[in-house]
């Protein structure tokens, strides 16, 4: 009994237990057990959980293959967890359209109109294009050839397709090819197009006599094929050998492939003939292109007479600005709006109308299986045509006051009565050929789209500022023609339409902020106007002297003649 009692008191002796260390003074024994006895059970449970975790971990380490099932266990646990939560408590994700993907220009105009009308102090016509041309003296090298022409290798007959300016490309390229091959060019025939539906001939649009006379020292041009040649083909041009040439073919292809057949047949056809010659060509070819475009192609006398009258009337309308006016090329016809696949008002009527227009003009192109159309992405990429309202917002923001005379070059505007109203509010002096000319003056041209486009072209060429909104052959030719006429300085506004899409979709932008950013955009166009031609650029847009002055046509002619 004594030993037993001693052992309970922690004494030493044989068989006695080792005494426990004294408890910490900070955690006395009495505090380890709560009044309810829960502390000890909690610690015991935690210890058991740790022992179980160690046991499981040891088992997993001994059998690493069990880790392959870890993803499945995780997914199962997540499914059990999600199943225990009500879906009503999950936050709702709200999808907002990306900036610039929606057409909200009407709302922007309604919100900013009062501030715009109050701010009419600046006039961009007096401040635009302060930069001088930095390329030195502009010398468009189109000198006459005085060495005489060698004997012709045969006749080339081409069929120019497309609208006015696509046909213009064909004519210039045909002159360049004929001159390069020492061939005689027959006055090009205009292919009747199902979209433009204009049966005009060369002489209806251009001064044929001036064309032949201006090119006589460089390229032989005749109005028809001689009889002795036609006899070989049964007096039918369709019997002549017709070349099907790939687009943008190099000039060397014509020398290697076309020239031998021309010498053999004495008459060849090239149909269709639009963009069938590469922009990358030797100086002799570029010189002939420029000679044809800027000197030989002159509009016919009826077109020139009416165009000059309209230019005079525009200058009278802009007397407050010393006769300076702005020309805007607006592409907002129904076919352009439909082809763009953009959404504007977004109503059911608009969708039905544009779907019908797409099916009529491009049957099946936009409805074929797998075709995905994303109007928002198209707008964000700057591919949507500017509406008349957006053109007005842009010009007012760039500093053009409401007393600026605007000449609008355009076809029939889509929903003109509705869409033109805000532009006329912003620029009440806006004119078109229909408002400047009487019905009697326009009647000889009204049913001929190319002749009407030629009138627009001339009035735009002589404007102080030219604004392009959509691209295409018309503005590209105009930009180059204006560079050629005005000492290398284009004076053209070509807006950043991606940036415009974001600006016009800004729900909180103010007038001052919008105006500041549009001023910067105008300044960028100013700097772009004095650029030098880059490699492979169209010589019709950049009539660069450095690309034309080194003409070695006479040496090339001798080499061709020797063959």
């Amino acid at each position: 009994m004594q030993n037993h009692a001693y052992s309970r008191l922690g004494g030493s002796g044989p068989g006695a237990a080792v005494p426990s260390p004294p408890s910490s003074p900070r955690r006395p024994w009495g505090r380890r057990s709560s009044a309810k006895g829960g502390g000890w059970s909690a610690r015991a449970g935690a210890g058991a959980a740790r022992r179980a975790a160690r046991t499981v971990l040891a088992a997993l380490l001994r059998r690493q293959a069990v880790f392959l099932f870890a993803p499945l266990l995780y997914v199962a646990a997540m499914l059990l967890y999600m199943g225990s939560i009500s879906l009503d408590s999950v936050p709702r994700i709200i999808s907002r359209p990306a900036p610039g993907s929606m057409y909200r220009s009407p709302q922007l105009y309604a919100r900013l109109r009062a501030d715009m009308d109050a701010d009419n102090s600046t006039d961009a016509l007096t401040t635009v294009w302060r930069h001088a041309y930095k390329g030195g003296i502009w010398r468009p090298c189109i000198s006459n050839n005085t060495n005489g022409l060698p004997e012709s290798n045969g006749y080339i007959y081409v069929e120019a397709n497309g609208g006015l300016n696509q046909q213009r490309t064909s004519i210039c390229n045909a002159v360049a090819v004929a001159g390069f091959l020492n061939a005689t060019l027959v006055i090009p025939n205009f292919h009747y197009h199902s979209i433009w539906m204009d049966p005009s001939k060369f002489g209806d649009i251009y001064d044929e006599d001036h064309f032949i006379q201006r090119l006589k020292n460089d390229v032989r041009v005749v109005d028809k094929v001689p009889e002795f040649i036609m006899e070989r083909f049964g007096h039918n041009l369709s019997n002549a050998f017709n070349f099907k040439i790939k687009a943008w073919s190099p000039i060397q292809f014509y020398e290697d492939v076309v020239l031998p057949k021309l010498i053999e047949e004495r008459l060849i056809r090239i149909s269709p003939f639009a963009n069938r010659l590469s922009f990358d060509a030797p100086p002799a070819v570029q010189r002939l292109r420029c000679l044809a475009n800027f000197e030989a192609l002159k509009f016919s006398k009826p077109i020139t007479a009416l165009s000059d009258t309209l230019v005079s009337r525009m200058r009278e309308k802009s007397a407050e600005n010393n006769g300076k006016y702005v020309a805007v090329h607006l592409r907002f016809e129904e076919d352009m709006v439909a082809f763009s696949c953009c959404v504007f008002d977004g109503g059911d009527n608009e969708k039905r109308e544009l779907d019908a227009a797409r099916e009529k003009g491009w049957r099946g192109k936009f409805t074929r299986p797998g075709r995905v159309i994303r109007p928002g992405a198209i707008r964000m990429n700057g591919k949507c045509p500017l509406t008349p309202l957006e053109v007005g917002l842009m010009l007012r923001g760039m500093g053009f006051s409401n007393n600026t005379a605007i000449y609008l070059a355009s076809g029939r505007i889509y929903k003109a009565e509705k869409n033109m109203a805000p532009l006329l509010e912003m620029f009440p002096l806006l004119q078109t050929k229909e408002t400047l000319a009487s019905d009697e003056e326009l009647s000889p041209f009204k049913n001929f789209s190319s002749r009407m486009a030629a009138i627009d072209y001339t009035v735009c060429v002589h404007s102080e500022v030219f604004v392009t909104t959509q691209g295409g052959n018309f503005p590209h030719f105009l930009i180059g023609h204006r560079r050629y006429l005005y000492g290398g300085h284009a004076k053209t506004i070509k807006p950043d339409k991606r940036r415009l899409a974001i600006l016009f979709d800004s729900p909180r932008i103010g007038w001052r902020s919008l105006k500041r950013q549009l001023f910067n955009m105008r300044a960028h166009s100013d700097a772009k106007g004095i650029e030098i031609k880059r490699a492979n650029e169209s010589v019709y847009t950049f009539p660069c002297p450095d690309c034309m002055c080194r003409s070695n046509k006479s040496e090339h002619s001798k080499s061709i003649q020797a063959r």
Side-chain angles (χ1 to χ4, degrees), residues 461-472:
V461 161
H462 295 291
S463 64
E464 177 70 13
V465 180
F466 173 65
V467 182
T468 173
T469 64
Q470 186 62 16

Side-chain angles (χ1 to χ4, degrees), residues 92-98 101-102 104:
R92 183 174 299 174
I93 299 175
I94 301 175
S95 177
R96 292 185 175 87
S101 63
M102 301 291 290
R104 295 195 177 101

Side-chain angles (χ1 to χ4, degrees), residues 230-416:
M230 290 298 294
E231 288 178 1
R232 294 185 55 197
F233 301 97
H235 295 277
N236 188 350
L237 280 172
S238 61
N239 293 330
F241 183 85
N242 183 39
F243 269 102
K244 296 289 187 180
I245 298 177
K246 293 182 179 179
W248 316 115
S249 293
I251 193 65
Q252 195 62 39
F253 172 85
Y254 289 88
E255 184 173 351
D256 296 341
V257 178
V258 177
L259 180 59
K261 196 69 175 179
L262 172 67
I263 295 174
E264 176 187 349
E265 296 286 332
R266 301 295 297 170
L267 170 65
I268 61 168
R269 294 171 55 224
I270 306 178
S271 175
F273 189 80
N275 299 316
R276 296 298 189 269
L277 180 60
S278 170
F279 285 139
D280 186 13
V285 175
Q286 302 290 54
R287 172 185 171 274
L288 289 175
R289 278 171 152 168
C290 289
L291 178 63
N293 187 44
F294 300 114
E295 296 289 340
L297 282 177
K298 179 182 177 182
F299 289 123
S300 63
K301 292 178 181 179
I303 292 176
T304 302
L306 180 58
S307 299
D308 291 344
T309 300
L310 299 190
V311 170
S312 298
R313 292 174 184 172
M314 277 304 302
R315 288 172 175 163
E316 292 173 3
K317 299 283 185 183
S318 55
E320 293 185 13
N321 291 307
N322 298 319
K324 298 177 180 179
Y325 62 92
V326 176
V328 178
H329 181 228
L330 179 63
R331 294 302 312 275
F332 204 70
E333 303 89 351
E334 184 180 69
D335 61 335
M336 174 57 67
V337 175
F339 186 80
S340 71
C341 294
C342 297
V343 173
F344 294 92
D345 290 343
D348 293 336
N349 289 336
E350 178 186 280
K351 185 179 186 308
R352 283 194 297 268
E353 290 174 359
L354 297 184
D355 284 346
R358 280 189 282 267
E359 189 62 22
K360 178 182 177 182
W362 303 274
R363 191 174 302 277
K365 178 181 177 68
F366 297 97
T367 57
R368 64 173 180 260
R371 180 71 182 262
V372 178
I373 299 173
R374 297 184 177 89
I378 296 171
R379 181 170 297 281
M380 292 169 62
N381 287 328
K383 301 298 183 182
C384 289
L386 293 182
T387 65
L389 183 150
E390 290 175 322
V391 171
L393 277 174
M394 179 185 72
L395 292 179
R396 288 299 301 272
M398 288 182 175
F400 293 95
S401 62
N402 64 357
N403 66 344
T404 302
I406 303 286
Y407 180 82
L408 194 69
S410 175
R412 183 176 297 176
I413 299 296
Y414 174 63
K415 294 186 176 180

Side-chain angles (χ1 to χ4, degrees), residues 145-153 178-183 218 220 255 259 263 284 551-563:
N145 180 27
T146 59
N147 297 322
L149 293 174
E151 182 181 353
S152 174
N153 286 320
F180 187 81
L181 300 181
N182 287 327
D218 296 271
R220 290 187 179 89
E255 184 173 351
L259 180 59
I263 295 174
S551 174
N552 56 351
K553 180 180 183 301
S554 57
E555 288 77 6
H556 176 77
S557 299
K558 293 176 182 178
S559 66
I560 293 290
Q561 186 181 16
R563 292 185 60 174

Side-chain angles (χ1 to χ4, degrees), residues 26-103:
R26 294 185 180 181
R27 299 184 63 185
W29 181 264
R31 294 184 59 186
R32 291 186 180 180
S33 59
S34 63
K36 297 182 181 180
W40 176 261
S41 62
R43 285 195 302 276
R50 284 195 296 271
R51 286 193 297 272
R54 291 192 191 101
T55 304
V56 172
L57 181 60
L60 291 175
L61 289 174
R62 285 195 299 268
R63 288 174 174 77
Q64 296 181 3
V66 177
F67 282 109
L68 295 176
F69 297 96
L72 297 177
L73 295 173
Y74 175 78
V75 172
M78 290 301 297
L79 291 175
L80 290 173
Y81 175 73
M82 292 299 295
S84 65
I85 299 177
S86 174
L87 294 177
D88 295 336
S89 63
V90 177
R92 183 174 299 174
I93 299 175
I94 301 175
S95 177
R96 292 185 175 87
S101 63
M102 301 291 290
Y103 176 66

